[in-house]
Amino acid sequence: KQEVTQIPAALSVPEGENLVLNCSFTDSAIYNLQWFRQDPGKGLTSLLLIQSSQREQTSGRLNASLDKSSGRSTLYIAASQPGDSATYLCAVRPKGGGSNYKLTFGKGTLLTVNP
Amino acid sequence: DAGITQSPRHKVTETGTPVTLRCHQTENHRYMYWYRQDPGHGLRLIHYSYGVKDTDKGEVSDGYSVSRSKTEDFLLTLESATSSQTSVYFCAIGDREETQYFGPGTRLLVL
């Protein structure tokens, strides 16, 4: 059974700092990995999706990397802003088979960026 | 927004009563999902649908049933609500190999 772990569970940083969020997964047979953002009381918004054949994806100040063999992904946020404060979740989609649309989520990292 | 709505957004009910939550999409996506989100457990899949009248169980399906009679609507029913079903419920839509788009959530309190 796939398990997804996110460390740290919470992170507080001053504005302007670069930071890294970590995600690890136990089964490397994945189709892709996604990073989501969730604001308090809201649904999830997809930030980046990395296919299993890719090493990284970038969108603006966000960069996500994937090392499938070691079961790790990182989300790098450059020059953090108070508006980046949210919970960040990673999710993996399994490879192949009839259930490869079932995502397994980590429990998230709560990020607070202080002005 | 991906054109996905959930109703109601908030509900308080009593133990033993039936509850139905509705997810409605305007995007014509084939796949629809119901998740629950709880502190300490994260997001867990309850049921999903891969087409009209085609549904299957997820990780935590006990006590829940679903129906999908139209592409745009996916209903989640708690046949007899229990306090352990107090949670935030999210609907998501997507196509097989794409990202999933999430609705705003329904907060359910079972007293």
Side-chain angles (χ1 to χ4, degrees), chain B residues 21-81:
Chain B
L21 309 183
R22 180 184 185 231
C23 177
H24 179 78
Q25 62 151 327
T26 58
E27 304 297 317
N28 202 36
H29 282 293
R30 179 181 175 189
Y31 294 91
M32 299 185 76
Y33 311 82
W34 277 108
Y35 293 89
R36 61 178 289 174
Q37 186 175 37
D38 305 286
H41 290 280
L43 273 157
R44 293 178 292 174
L45 182 65
I46 304 171
H47 281 279
Y48 61 97
S49 169
Y50 47 96
V52 173
K53 295 189 179 1
D54 293 322
T55 65
D56 205 349
K57 296 178 179 180
E59 180 184 358
V60 288
S61 59
D62 288 347
Y64 301 94
S65 63
V66 290
S67 66
R68 191 169 178 200
S69 59
K70 299 184 291 185
T71 298
E72 57 265 35
D73 289 325
F74 192 32
L75 303 180
L76 176 70
T77 298
L78 290 64
E79 302 290 348
S80 178

Side-chain angles (χ1 to χ4, degrees), chain A residues 59-79:
Chain A
S59 176
R61 295 183 293 107
L62 305 180
N63 176 277
S65 68
L66 174 64
D67 184 341
K68 196 174 62 170
S69 61
S70 67
R72 296 177 187 274
S73 176
T74 62
L75 179 67
Y76 174 82
I77 302 177

Side-chain angles (χ1 to χ4, degrees), chain A residues 3-83:
Chain A
E3 292 184 2
V4 179
T5 303
Q6 293 187 244
I7 294 173
L11 181 64
S12 180
V13 300
E15 181 176 4
E17 191 163 297
N18 301 325
L19 59 98
V20 174
L21 307 180
N22 297 291
C23 172
S24 62
F25 46 95
T26 55
D27 186 349
S28 61
I30 66 169
Y31 186 82
N32 60 38
L33 181 145
Q34 299 179 65
W35 283 93
F36 292 87
R37 168 184 174 140
Q38 185 176 28
D39 293 296
K42 306 287 187 181
L44 280 68
T45 301
S46 179
L47 296 173
L48 290 164
L49 183 151
I50 312 177
Q51 301 294 348
S52 62
S53 58
Q54 298 176 318
R55 296 285 294 185
E56 64 179 77
Q57 280 285 344
T58 298
S59 176
R61 295 183 293 107
L62 305 180
N63 176 277
S65 68
L66 174 64
D67 184 341
K68 196 174 62 170
S69 61
S70 67
R72 296 177 187 274
S73 176
T74 62
L75 179 67
Y76 174 82
I77 302 177
S80 59
Q81 303 171 357

